[in-house]
Amino acid sequence: MLYKEMQDMKEGAAFSRRFAKQQLLTTMAIVLSATLVFILTGVVAPGIDALGLAIAAATGFTIGVWCQPNVYRRQNGSLTLAIVLIAGMWAVPVIVILVSFFG
């Protein structure tokens, strides 16, 4: 009985470590990609206000869904809502770019 409990505790601790590592890596990927895109957008298109923030937010969310899709799944296993949110977030900077070029 004691051996089984110790084994369960070891497995639980290992699971917690893997989960924490995965969360850390995902967070780093989101922050680094959003920061890189924000800086790059500021260099490439410095005159368009708030474009960097819109693209950084869309990039961060996209990377988050790509790294951990199970977090964003609905109860039936669908990623439809996450994909619609990603499309909406990317639509904002695209509209801003189109308006700045043609408007």
Side-chain angles (χ1 to χ4, degrees):
M1 177 89 169
L2 184 60
Y3 177 75
K4 173 78 169 127
E5 290 175 4
M6 287 177 55
Q7 191 66 21
D8 289 344
M9 287 177 59
K10 286 181 184 178
E11 289 174 7
F15 177 78
S16 293
R17 282 192 300 274
R18 284 191 309 269
F19 181 75
K21 183 178 178 181
Q22 182 183 22
Q23 294 288 39
L24 178 65
L25 292 175
T26 299
T27 303
M28 286 175 43
I30 290 170
V31 170
L32 289 175
S33 66
T35 304
L36 179 65
V37 166
F38 181 73
I39 293 169
L40 185 64
T41 304
V43 170
V44 172
I48 303 174
D49 292 337
L51 180 65
L53 290 176
I55 292 177
T59 301
F61 187 64
T62 303
I63 296 293
V65 172
W66 182 67
C67 287
Q68 291 191 358
N70 291 332
V71 172
Y72 298 96
R73 290 191 191 278
R74 298 185 64 168
Q75 291 178 350
N76 62 358
S78 173
L79 280 172
T80 304
L81 181 60
I83 292 169
V84 168
L85 288 172
I86 288 171
M89 290 183 80
W90 278 106
V92 171
V94 168
I95 291 170
V96 168
I97 290 170
L98 291 176
V99 167
S100 70
F101 283 140
F102 299 113

